[in-house]
Amino acid sequence: MLYAYAVVDSNRKIEDRVEGIEREAVRNIPCREIGLAVGEIEGTIDGVDGSRALKHEEVVEKLMEKFTVLPMRFGTVFPAPADALAALESGYDLFRRNLERVRGKAEWGLRVIWDGGKTRDRLANAPGPPPALDATSSRAKQYLEKKRVQRRLERAFAEEAEEHIARVDGFFAGRVAEKRLEKLKRDKLLLNAYYLVRRESQSDFIKAYQRLRRESGDLRFLLSGPWPPYNFVERPRAPARGAAD
Amino acid sequence: MEHKVAIKSREVTLLEVLDRVLNKGVVVSGDLVISVADVDLLYLGLKLLLSSVETMERLRGAPFAGAGEEPT
């Protein structure tokens, strides 16, 4: 079986020894101007294994030092080189376009943590419009009023979360090539942001992050990078359904 | 790498890696590709991530100030 690590922007042989998840040598299967970095493994990948996932990432990062890469999802295997080649051919134009998009850039991830529970409590205790009820209101009216208040709180919560997100994201304006924001707005996790950053802009990006931390006492952050551009690859078609689905 | 940020917890590193390698990246369609089932690791991972953040705080005995810390 051939285990696939990444689509690379080269049809050349991989000169340096790169060891894969089973310590196999990683090689390149060329297809016109690009290639697929693969390793020969025994059997298939039939489960999620932390050390293998780390190794997958390590291989992609090593490839990233030499090539522009589109990382493959963990667990992608092909029975034979011809199958890998067919996959490359079928997505060739998309791969080329994506390789150009991410060339010279890396992904950075930012998770933003907040105390959403505290925000909810504050909003719930804030003075709101007077209730449209009196002592003679029916149960139905009371129910509707309760729902109205809940909706108002949810709206206020979402607006406040949105304001925080816009403020956080604003620190990186002009410093990133592309971004993906997962606005989670959960009680603990506010946002997962993924930024595609030009290599020459990374120092500026990190400075912006440091400023964000200094100026955001109520929020906490997890910044990681530089990563291969996992979050910035387009899918060729509908995702494959694996045997375990 | 030049700007590699020092994430000090192996747990956090693993979760960040899992979030990417299992949920993201190139997916090639076709019967020939066997992919790992789409585990809802994003959600699971985030719960674990937050719990590991709290663990880190306890271990350090200081308020968590961002696993990224200062870039190296």
Side-chain angles (χ1 to χ4, degrees), chain A residues 1-8 12-29 35-41 55-64 67 69 72:
Chain A
M1 282 283 180
L2 291 172
Y3 182 93
Y5 295 96
V7 177
V8 298
R12 285 176 287 117
K13 196 177 158 189
I14 297 169
E15 298 289 348
D16 301 335
R17 162 101 184 158
V18 179
E19 274 189 1
I21 55 175
E22 289 188 358
R23 308 194 70 181
E24 83 284 5
V26 175
R27 65 187 174 91
N28 195 14
I29 295 181
L36 184 67
V38 297
E40 189 93 35
I41 62 162
K55 189 70 191 172
H56 175 106
E57 169 60 15
E58 188 186 316
V59 171
V60 177
E61 286 194 17
K62 275 193 181 151
L63 293 167
M64 198 179 159
F67 310 105
V69 301
M72 298 294 290

Side-chain angles (χ1 to χ4, degrees), chain B residues 13-67:
Chain B
T13 306
L14 178 60
L15 288 165
E16 289 287 340
V17 168
L18 287 177
D19 179 32
R20 286 175 170 80
V21 307
L22 299 179
N23 294 320
K24 316 286 167 58
V26 175
V27 179
V28 187
S29 72
D31 295 338
L32 299 172
V33 178
I34 301 161
S35 67
V36 174
D38 280 338
V39 183
D40 191 10
L41 256 170
L42 186 61
Y43 179 64
L44 176 68
L46 296 179
K47 276 170 62 183
L48 289 172
L49 178 65
L50 293 184
S51 111
S52 71
V53 167
E54 282 152 14
T55 307
M56 284 163 69
E57 280 186 44
R58 280 204 306 277
L59 290 174
R60 289 175 179 181
F64 175 73

Side-chain angles (χ1 to χ4, degrees), chain A:
Chain A
M1 282 283 180
L2 291 172
Y3 182 93
Y5 295 96
V7 177
V8 298
D9 68 332
S10 168
N11 54 14
R12 285 176 287 117
K13 196 177 158 189
I14 297 169
E15 298 289 348
D16 301 335
R17 162 101 184 158
V18 179
E19 274 189 1
I21 55 175
E22 289 188 358
R23 308 194 70 181
E24 83 284 5
V26 175
R27 65 187 174 91
N28 195 14
I29 295 181
C31 174
R32 290 187 265 170
E33 302 300 313
I34 64 175
L36 184 67
V38 297
E40 189 93 35
I41 62 162
E42 296 290 327
T44 59
I45 304 291
D46 52 7
V48 177
D49 171 321
S51 60
R52 281 183 157 184
L54 284 172
K55 189 70 191 172
H56 175 106
E57 169 60 15
E58 188 186 316
V59 171
V60 177
E61 286 194 17
K62 275 193 181 151
L63 293 167
M64 198 179 159
E65 289 172 12
K66 300 277 178 192
F67 310 105
T68 298
V69 301
L70 301 178
M72 298 294 290
R73 186 170 295 194
F74 179 85
T76 304
V77 296
F78 297 96
D83 304 309
L85 196 55
L88 269 183
E89 277 289 359
S90 72
Y92 186 81
D93 292 340
L94 190 70
F95 293 145
R96 280 294 299 268
R97 197 164 62 242
N98 276 268
L99 284 165
E100 285 311 311
R101 250 180 79 220
V102 302
R103 186 180 302 285
K105 305 179 186 100
E107 175 180 315
W108 286 78
L110 180 70
R111 298 190 194 275
V112 183
I113 298 154
W114 72 329
D115 193 340
K118 208 194 277 179
T119 304
R120 280 185 200 282
D121 290 347
R122 178 170 45 73
L123 291 170
N125 292 322
L133 292 172
D134 56 41
T136 62
S137 296
S138 65
R139 282 191 153 193
K141 261 193 171 177
Q142 287 177 24
Y143 173 79
L144 289 173
E145 174 62 13
K146 194 176 159 194
K147 283 284 166 199
R148 192 184 65 80
V149 171
Q150 273 175 359
R151 275 199 303 275
R152 183 173 56 79
L153 284 177
E154 282 305 316
R155 213 167 34 240
F157 181 80
E159 281 169 8
E160 192 155 326
E162 199 67 50
E163 280 169 21
H164 277 298
I165 291 169
R167 184 178 159 276
V168 166
D169 183 48
F171 277 81
F172 303 104
R175 293 175 171 84
V176 301
E178 288 183 44
K179 65 184 174 186
R180 273 199 55 223
L181 304 181
E182 287 176 4
K183 300 177 180 181
L184 300 164
K185 302 179 189 173
R186 293 193 192 124
D187 276 358
K188 277 194 173 179
L189 201 58
L190 176 66
L191 171 72
N192 277 342
Y194 302 99
Y195 293 105
L196 190 64
V197 184
R198 287 184 187 82
R199 292 202 177 279
E200 62 272 22
S201 304
Q202 289 188 137
S203 295
D204 281 350
F205 178 83
I206 290 167
K207 279 180 196 155
Y209 166 69
Q210 288 167 331
R211 196 161 65 81
L212 168 67
R213 268 182 60 190
R214 279 198 304 274
E215 297 177 18
S216 307
D218 292 346
L219 303 175
R220 293 188 290 177
F221 305 96
L222 273 168
L223 177 73
S224 65
W227 293 93
Y230 283 98
N231 283 282
F232 295 93
V233 291
E234 294 170 77
R235 297 178 178 188
R237 276 179 255 143
R241 292 192 68 77
D245 277 353

